[in-house]
Amino acid sequence: MAGGEERIDVVARLRERRKLLWAVASGFIASGLLVALAIGAVTGSLTGGLPLAIAVAAVTLYIAAIFMDIVWEGWGVQLFTVITVIIVSLLFLNMIFGRQVMP
Amino acid sequence: MSSTLQIKRWLFTTNHKDVGILYLVTSLYFFIIGGTLALLFRIQLSVPENDFLDAAKFNQAITNHGLIMVFWFISPLAFAFANYFVPIQIGAKDMAFPRLNALSYWLLLFGGLLVIAGFFMPGGAADFGWTAYAPLNTETYTPNFGANLTAFGLLMLIASVTVGTVNFLVTIFQLRAKGYKMLGLPMFVWGIFFTVLMMLWAFPSLQAGLILLAADRILGATIFEAPKGAILWDHLFWFFGHPEVYIVLFPGLALALDMISVFSRRPLLGRKVIIAAFGAAAALSFGVYAHHMFMTGINLQYLKFHMFTTELISVPFGVITILAILSMIGGAIKLTTPMLFALGSIAVFIIGGFSGVFNSNPVLDIANRGSYWVVAHFHYVMVGAALFALFGGLYYWFPKMTGRMYNETLGKIHFIVSFIGFNLLYFPMFFLIDMPRRIYTYPEWTGWGPLNFIATVGGFIFGLSHLIMFANLLYSMKHGPRVDKNPWGAWSYEWVIESPPPEYNFEGIPVVQGNRLMVLMADGAKPAAHAHNSHEGEHLSPWPLLISLGPFLFLLGLGMWIAQAKFALPLMVAGAIISAYAVYGWFRDDFYERFKLEEPPEYKERWPFESIHRVKLGMYFFLFGDAVFFAGLIGAYIFVRLEAPTTLPGLVTHNILLGLIGALLMLWSAVFMYAAARGAKLGDRTLTLAGLALSIVLGIAYLVVTGLDWLGTFSAGFTLADPAIATSAVTALSHALHLAAGLLVAVYLLLKVWVRGFTGHVPDTIDSLAVYWGFLAAVTAAIFGVTYIF
Amino acid sequence: MFHYPFNPAELSETARIWWDLFGFYLTVAIILGVVVYAGLVLIPWIYSRRRQAVDEIQPGVIPGERGRMAYLAVIVILIAASFIAIFVESYLAVNKLAATLEEKYNVDIEELQAGEADGVLVVEVIGFQWGWTFRYPNGVETDILYLPAGRPVIFKVTSEDVFHAFSIPDLRVKVDAIPGQVNVTWTVPEKPGTYRVQCYELCGVGHAEMITKAIVLPPEVFDFWYESQSEKLESEGGEQ
């Protein structure tokens, strides 16, 4: 019994360490993405439109998924995350399409 | 109990049943206020060219009638029952966060009082209708100082709703009795579950709209006065506003289903189908709202899509209604007062639903929009269906809450009189399809006089009929015959325990085995003591009250200060001091872990969140709602940029290098907070302290850098009069306030770990804070990506 | 002064489309309503008179599942079918509203947008707190709306200050008047007479007084009025 608990503890500790490594690595990756976003904007290759929207959404979701621990949670949290993303997208789509002129 | 103890109990209580009763009393109090306002303007409308109320008073009356009835009566009445009965029905001893539950109540009460205080401000209360269409809601067109208080009151309400939503979701997910599957829960719990889910994602949109409106009214921005601002408000309001209709409807409708099942002695037909229908309606509710905007001239393809979804939503509601009716076949129906109210609720809901389908179409909307047809329609849904069912619930649960029975004859008389009055009040309005809403008077030649007179008579019958209920229940509370714990022969958990329920609901451990709801005694006949160390007064906390009172006084003072009234500054100072003291008090209680109310997780059914701590789960739900709040703000910026070609992109108005540095600082602040959480989980105190400290430093650095950037923007001559600047400034400010609140908690946790180490829930709290920080970093990236570049 | 004719659908082209669709909805609602209300009244009436042999609700026992999948599916399909019928009819009506102007009156939408269409009267409607200004192509501005019978009229609706809603309810004309944008709607008035014009969105304390008349004139009378107004405008312009 005690041995089992110890083993779980070891597994949990390993998991925490792996999460930490991932987070530090993701810190660098996300920093790179943000810098790329800025460069893309300044050079004019990302101003406005769909490419910008996709780039921003991708960076945001990546940071959220890693640092909000969502990638490590069970399917319950992940399901609610997906629903939230859909609802947020709905809000944006309404703001973009619900105007006089079709974009 | 002595009277001081009684006062202390009701002010400081965190017990879900006490909070439920506070909700109940408060909602009925607001019902009387909202109802009185309604009767006043019904008198005004009873005959043509009446001069009982002038236009200004009439507009204030209808506006506050709408606000109070929707936000401070029907929903709080539903949540009175939810507070009282959801924990019992799922087999829990209290809510997941008892103090937050009390906080929800006090925020709601003080928010409502702020709105009412508007009547006493120079210029009077808000008078732009409860939908507050832009730009009428801006200071230019509504200089009434009461309108500011309305906005503040609504913001307090949203805070209340947010806290309550998180609490109910965690409670329903994690505090069910061991073995209690979600699908076995009573329909009422399901109704509340879908209600709070819609609240979670709908209210933040209104919050975004109100904060932008506050910027307009107080900081001199012109977001809603700018061209197309009206459409922006429509989107933000109705994204919230349509789900809100179902938020009001669902608890009542679900409760009606439970009562129909109990009083016809038949299980519901197709329970799972009904639950799925509720879910489908809740999901669809977010994609139908443009039917409120059919006449705004937005593009036809978009409107056709919303016409489709609006008509589609009639399918789940049709399924619920039909199955409810068919469920009764073959039963032995007892037409008690609650059953009559449940059937009455379904009866008026059918008319409300059918008339709603008429509104789903841009062609029919040519006549319906803004007319009394719409007034009739939504009163049939929100008053008829919801109120009848909830008043039925009041009779249904009265013996449980008091241990005494009401007078059945008077109850039936109340139903018959109110049902006749209701239909007399609202049915004629369908024939007033040509009469515009919200006009304070009308000329005689319109021919609207007779129907309006009938409606007013009906209104008085309906309004006064509730006096029968009040008299009946107040008398029966003291003098009604005593009844045993299950007078209706109902099945759910509240009927298994005594009436009124004991302080912690179950004198033992609630466990569900198969389909049996049981309460196991821990050792022999003695109540299980280990679930709570319940010595006297431990569950009392003054902080929920004070933490709501502080902002109330502060916002009241602020509203008065804008109106240049006397005593404004002392009120604001007092409010600020009380708020600060209450926050300090709450932290201090937690520092010494004085407030412990928790059931052991191993006694609970926690699917599908078995392995996740309740604080972290609560944090997740809060952030899922908060994501919509920031989406609303960033969406407003995108909308403004698309609609106003004169606004400049962030690349011009901002220093992009500072923006990038800020985003990176926030990102690494999140990395260090994440590391602190890992340290807490690993028991590594050094890693946690270092992570927290670095995270705090980088967080502050982010605030400084962002502040510098905004200083640069403003000194370059850009002002809040530019709607793009205003929306992005409000977004940045909201984010900064989120971060500031987080920094406060981070400093507290740093001190606690430093002084006391990893005691209590500290590791899980840090873990939750890391999630919060990750969210803030993601929002920063979105803000940087959108408002600095687009 | 405000006459209400026998058949409200004959007042204008848009009224006809509206009443047709309303009639369809009302028919469906009444048929379904009779069935549903019959159930809602008869079932409690019948089953409140008998006692059941086996009580299926037991204290402390979660009630069992009821309803065979096939039975439930039939109910859902029946409801979905009525939804589809309503949707198809609605969709056709919306398209009809958009297409009638083009097909029945040969109005070319593109020409109209360029301001060149023949036989179409374009009236600019400007809402303000609290009243309406109607501006005709010849520059005449009135506060009473004069319309020719039998001729398509296009309304270009906007607002000077807050959100209003422009409507001639009897003719089934309604569109929101929103500051900063122009909304377009149309009708073809068919019967000469006087109709109510009113604001349908709360716009401040004067909301109830934001009411005026639309006078639909026989075409030749309208032309006479229109010409005389043009001349009056010219002579006024000459004097200045």
Side-chain angles (χ1 to χ4, degrees):
Chain A
M1 195 65 199
E5 269 170 23
E6 245 167 52
R7 195 159 60 240
I8 292 165
D9 193 42
V10 169
V11 171
R13 291 178 74 85
L14 275 175
R15 201 171 121 100
E16 293 301 323
R17 286 184 196 287
R18 195 167 345 127
K19 280 162 107 171
L20 185 54
L21 283 178
W22 259 104
V24 173
S26 293
F28 286 105
I29 296 171
S31 301
L33 290 173
L34 281 172
V35 172
L37 196 62
I39 291 171
V42 172
T43 55
S45 49
L46 258 187
T47 40
L50 206 56
L52 176 70
I54 292 171
V56 172
V59 176
T60 306
L61 287 178
Y62 178 73
I63 296 175
I66 296 288
F67 297 108
M68 287 175 75
D69 235 8
I70 290 165
V71 283
W72 302 97
E73 298 289 359
W75 64 267
V77 172
Q78 289 170 352
L79 175 72
F80 275 95
T81 309
V82 170
I83 298 174
T84 302
V85 170
I86 291 172
I87 286 179
V88 164
S89 318
L90 257 182
L91 184 52
F92 282 129
L93 289 176
N94 275 306
M95 294 273 197
I96 291 165
F97 288 95
R99 299 182 301 127
Q100 253 186 326
V101 190
M102 278 292 239
Chain B
M1 231 188 284
S2 71
S3 60
T4 44
L5 265 178
Q6 276 287 358
I7 292 169
K8 205 176 152 194
R9 170 187 170 191
W10 289 109
L11 291 180
F12 296 165
T13 185
T14 63
N15 184 293
H16 74 98
K17 291 185 293 300
D18 288 353
V19 174
I21 287 169
L22 288 172
Y23 261 97
L24 182 66
V25 173
T26 306
S27 66
L28 292 176
Y29 162 73
F30 281 112
F31 174 58
I32 292 167
I33 294 179
T36 309
L37 289 172
L39 291 181
L40 287 177
F41 65 71
R42 271 326 307 175
I43 293 176
Q44 163 64 20
L45 287 171
S46 58
V47 288
E49 285 156 57
N50 200 355
D51 57 359
F52 179 72
L53 294 178
D54 62 22
K57 289 202 189 86
F58 178 88
N59 287 354
Q60 290 179 32
I62 52 158
T63 302
N64 289 282
H65 162 76
L67 289 170
I68 287 172
M69 286 302 205
V70 170
F71 293 115
W72 280 279
F73 163 55
I74 300 194
S75 267
L77 179 59
F79 275 83
F81 295 139
N83 263 295
Y84 203 106
F85 289 106
V86 163
I88 306 181
Q89 286 187 327
I90 66 172
K93 303 204 172 191
D94 207 320
M95 298 284 286
F97 307 100
R99 283 179 300 178
L100 292 185
N101 197 26
L103 180 65
S104 283
Y105 166 72
W106 291 110
L107 285 170
L108 173 101
L109 172 70
F110 287 123
L113 293 181
L114 267 184
V115 171
I116 291 175
F119 279 108
F120 304 103
M121 297 292 281
D127 63 351
F128 34 56
W130 84 278
T131 51
Y133 265 28
L136 183 65
N137 59 8
T138 60
E139 208 194 352
T140 316
Y141 300 106
T142 305
N144 307 4
F145 292 106
N148 294 333
L149 291 188
T150 300
F152 296 154
L154 282 170
L155 284 170
M156 283 187 81
L157 174 96
I158 293 168
S160 155
V161 165
T162 309
V163 172
T165 298
V166 168
N167 209 345
F168 271 100
L169 284 170
V170 177
T171 304
I172 294 172
F173 273 127
Q174 290 203 324
L175 291 187
R176 279 166 288 144
K178 192 81 195 166
Y180 209 160
K181 302 245 170 17
M182 290 286 281
L183 280 174
L185 293 171
M187 289 311 297
F188 180 66
V189 179
W190 273 106
I192 291 295
F193 174 71
F194 285 122
T195 302
V196 290
L197 273 185
M198 285 187 288
M199 282 177 156
L200 178 71
W201 285 306
F203 267 93
S205 176
L206 177 65
Q207 184 187 1
L210 283 170
I211 288 199
L212 294 173
L213 178 62
D216 263 17
R217 291 192 66 95
I218 293 162
L219 303 179
T222 57
I223 299 159
F224 294 116
E225 271 182 76
K228 314 280 184 176
I231 304 287
L232 175 62
W233 175 264
D234 264 15
H235 278 301
L236 288 171
F237 184 82
W238 289 117
F239 189 87
F240 146 79
H242 199 81
E244 169 66 16
V245 178
Y246 300 143
I247 287 168
V248 168
L249 172 68
F250 269 27
L253 191 59
L255 176 54
L257 294 177
D258 271 343
M259 293 191 287
I260 284 173
S261 164
V262 165
F263 290 107
S264 57
R265 317 306 302 159
R266 289 280 272 169
L268 284 170
L269 187 62
R271 265 180 63 86
K272 286 176 189 162
V273 177
I274 292 179
I275 292 169
F278 270 113
L284 274 174
S285 74
F286 287 90
V288 301
Y289 73 83
H291 62 235
H292 297 273
M293 302 164 69
F294 277 150
M295 296 292 132
T296 53
I298 50 181
N299 76 74
L300 193 62
Q301 300 312 318
Y302 171 77
L303 293 184
K304 278 182 186 168
F305 174 73
H306 280 254
M307 175 179 91
F308 171 77
T309 50
T310 306
E311 286 169 5
L312 188 61
I313 214 166
S314 64
V315 176
F317 282 120
V319 168
I320 292 171
T321 316
I322 302 283
L323 288 179
I325 294 171
L326 294 181
S327 293
M328 294 185 286
I329 293 182
I333 295 172
K334 290 183 200 142
L335 291 175
T336 57
T337 306
M339 181 62 167
L340 288 175
F341 271 97
L343 293 175
S345 157
I346 300 287
V348 293
F349 179 60
I350 293 167
I351 294 185
F354 277 159
S355 59
V357 180
F358 282 71
N359 301 338
S360 68
N361 182 296
V363 176
L364 290 186
D365 215 36
I366 291 173
N368 302 355
R369 150 119 177 76
S371 77
Y372 264 81
W373 171 283
V374 175
V375 178
H377 157 67
F378 70 71
H379 280 92
Y380 262 91
V381 177
M382 289 161 99
V383 183
L387 180 142
F388 275 122
L390 291 172
F391 277 2
L394 198 51
Y395 285 107
Y396 178 62
W397 277 318
F398 182 81
K400 178 50 64 185
M401 293 164 84
T402 61
R404 290 173 189 272
M405 191 49 105
Y406 59 86
N407 184 307
E408 189 66 43
T409 317
L410 280 177
K412 282 178 180 158
I413 292 174
H414 171 219
F415 170 73
I416 292 166
V417 176
S418 64
F419 193 75
I420 292 171
F422 174 85
N423 284 292
L424 218 51
L425 168 57
Y426 295 114
F427 204 74
M429 291 183 188
F430 283 120
F431 298 97
L432 288 170
I433 188 167
D434 279 351
M435 179 172 165
R437 286 171 75 173
R438 295 161 167 169
I439 48 172
Y440 82 100
T441 189
Y442 50 94
E444 186 149 18
W445 49 258
T446 52
W448 297 330
L451 286 170
N452 270 300
F453 189 77
I454 296 173
T456 301
V457 171
F460 271 87
I461 296 174
F462 183 58
L464 297 178
S465 72
H466 303 306
L467 294 179
I468 305 173
M469 176 184 76
F470 285 124
N472 187 357
L473 297 188
L474 284 175
Y475 180 83
S476 306
M477 234 159 78
K478 283 265 172 352
H479 307 287
R482 288 191 180 277
V483 283
D484 73 342
K485 60 185 177 184
N486 193 359
W488 311 123
W491 62 271
S492 46
Y493 245 134
E494 74 269 36
W495 306 104
V496 174
I497 57 173
E498 294 305 314
S499 308
E503 191 176 8
Y504 290 114
N505 304 340
F506 302 96
E507 309 203 307
I509 305 157
V511 173
V512 177
Q513 285 178 357
N515 58 357
R516 298 205 168 261
L517 309 176
M518 299 195 288
V519 183
L520 297 186
M521 296 298 163
D523 38 14
K526 271 205 304 192
H530 51 76
H532 287 286
N533 344 346
S534 71
H535 51 81
E536 179 64 29
E538 192 186 37
H539 66 285
L540 295 182
S541 170
W543 311 121
L545 166 64
L546 292 179
I547 228 165
S548 315
L549 179 67
F552 168 71
L553 293 177
F554 181 82
L555 292 172
L556 185 64
L558 181 60
M560 288 164 63
W561 183 70
I562 297 167
Q564 295 176 328
K566 281 180 190 166
F567 309 118
L569 279 176
L571 269 181
M572 286 170 74
V573 172
I577 290 172
I578 292 174
S579 308
Y581 178 65
V583 170
Y584 165 74
W586 193 312
F587 275 140
R588 198 188 50 193
D589 270 11
D590 275 8
F591 194 87
Y592 297 110
E593 284 154 25
R594 279 187 193 143
F595 192 95
K596 281 189 216 161
L597 280 178
E598 207 186 347
E599 291 177 79
E602 58 271 23
Y603 294 149
K604 301 275 97 175
E605 191 68 35
R606 290 148 59 94
W607 180 90
F609 299 105
E610 289 90 351
S611 59
I612 189 163
H613 191 266
R614 70 189 163 99
V615 176
K616 196 177 186 188
L617 186 61
M619 178 59 81
Y620 273 126
F621 283 126
F622 167 70
L623 294 179
F624 291 148
D626 220 24
V628 178
F629 169 65
F630 280 107
L633 291 178
I634 295 173
Y637 175 83
I638 294 174
F639 184 91
V640 165
R641 288 278 298 121
L642 288 173
E643 284 290 18
T646 53
T647 56
L648 293 166
L651 275 175
V652 178
T653 56
H654 282 290
N655 182 333
I656 192 149
L657 187 64
L658 283 181
L660 179 64
I661 293 171
L664 292 176
L665 284 170
M666 190 64 224
L667 176 70
W668 283 92
S669 181
V671 176
F672 289 124
M673 187 56 84
Y674 197 84
R678 303 288 71 77
K681 286 283 183 183
L682 290 164
D684 185 338
R685 200 156 153 265
T686 323
L687 179 57
T688 301
L689 288 175
L692 276 169
L694 277 169
S695 183
I696 291 167
V697 170
L698 290 188
I700 292 171
Y702 163 79
L703 288 178
V704 171
V705 168
T706 310
L708 282 177
D709 174 46
W710 275 100
L711 276 182
T713 302
F714 287 131
S715 60
F718 298 105
T719 64
L720 291 179
D722 177 339
I725 297 290
T727 42
S728 58
V730 170
T731 315
L733 185 63
S734 303
H735 181 265
L737 288 175
H738 271 72
L739 180 59
L743 285 170
L744 199 63
V745 178
V747 170
Y748 157 78
L749 285 171
L750 183 70
L751 282 176
K752 190 163 178 184
V753 175
W754 184 282
V755 178
R756 298 182 48 121
F758 295 123
T759 60
H761 301 312
V762 166
D764 290 301
T765 313
I766 298 177
D767 197 18
S768 312
L769 194 65
V771 170
Y772 181 73
W773 235 260
F775 172 78
L776 288 184
V779 171
T780 316
I783 290 177
F784 172 66
V786 176
T787 67
Y788 281 75
I789 296 173
F790 174 58
Chain C
M1 154 187 165
F2 284 73
H3 83 139
Y4 205 83
F6 180 71
N7 185 354
E10 284 172 6
L11 293 180
S12 76
E13 190 68 45
T14 40
R16 186 169 301 125
I17 297 171
W18 190 92
W19 281 100
D20 281 353
L21 188 64
F22 186 79
F24 171 78
Y25 268 69
L26 201 61
T27 315
V28 174
I30 288 173
I31 293 170
L32 293 178
V34 165
V35 175
V36 177
Y37 275 108
L40 185 63
V41 173
L42 290 179
I43 292 171
W45 189 66
I46 294 169
Y47 290 100
S48 59
R49 273 140 210 284
R50 40 171 255 174
R51 288 278 152 263
Q52 203 177 16
V54 185
D55 192 339
E56 290 166 82
I57 303 284
Q58 297 293 328
V61 179
I62 301 171
E65 278 295 319
R66 271 183 66 207
R68 269 194 243 138
M69 260 351 259
Y71 182 40
L72 297 173
V74 167
I75 293 170
V76 175
I77 287 167
L78 280 178
I79 294 169
S82 51
F83 148 70
I84 289 166
I86 288 172
F87 174 68
V88 169
E89 190 69 17
S90 305
Y91 193 82
L92 293 178
V94 173
N95 284 347
K96 197 168 153 194
L97 193 69
T100 305
L101 203 56
E102 270 184 297
E103 285 162 12
K104 200 166 169 185
Y105 295 92
N106 296 318
V107 178
D108 190 313
I109 300 291
E110 280 176 21
E111 279 182 18
L112 180 78
Q113 279 162 350
E116 295 162 355
D118 292 330
V120 180
L121 177 66
V122 180
V123 184
E124 287 176 51
V125 179
I126 301 127
F128 57 89
Q129 283 181 324
W130 289 278
W132 301 101
T133 301
F134 305 106
R135 189 183 294 144
Y136 288 84
N138 60 3
V140 170
E141 290 186 0
T142 60
D143 54 6
I144 291 177
L145 181 61
Y146 293 93
L147 298 173
R151 202 186 289 171
V153 185
I154 308 277
F155 300 101
K156 293 189 165 178
V157 184
T158 188
S159 163
E160 276 180 4
D161 36 50
V162 302
F163 197 125
H164 305 277
F166 166 71
S167 179
I168 316 170
D170 284 337
L171 304 186
R172 293 297 183 251
V173 172
K174 190 179 283 163
V175 75
D176 291 338
I178 298 170
Q181 80 178 49
V182 178
N183 287 339
V184 180
T185 190
W186 67 276
T187 191
V188 184
E190 287 174 8
K191 278 224 161 83
T194 306
Y195 304 94
R196 178 168 48 90
V197 174
Q198 198 162 3
C199 174
Y200 273 71
E201 180 58 55
L202 179 62
C203 53
V205 287
H207 176 47
E209 277 112 39
M210 208 164 150
I211 181 169
T212 182
K213 316 183 259 198
I215 300 176
V216 177
L217 302 165
E220 54 283 2
V221 181
F222 177 81
D223 286 341
F224 176 75
W225 172 81
Y226 192 74
E227 295 302 323
S228 67
Q229 290 292 313
S230 298
E231 279 164 26
K232 204 168 125 195
L233 200 71
E234 267 167 38
S235 63
E236 275 171 11
E239 276 163 28
Q240 278 170 1

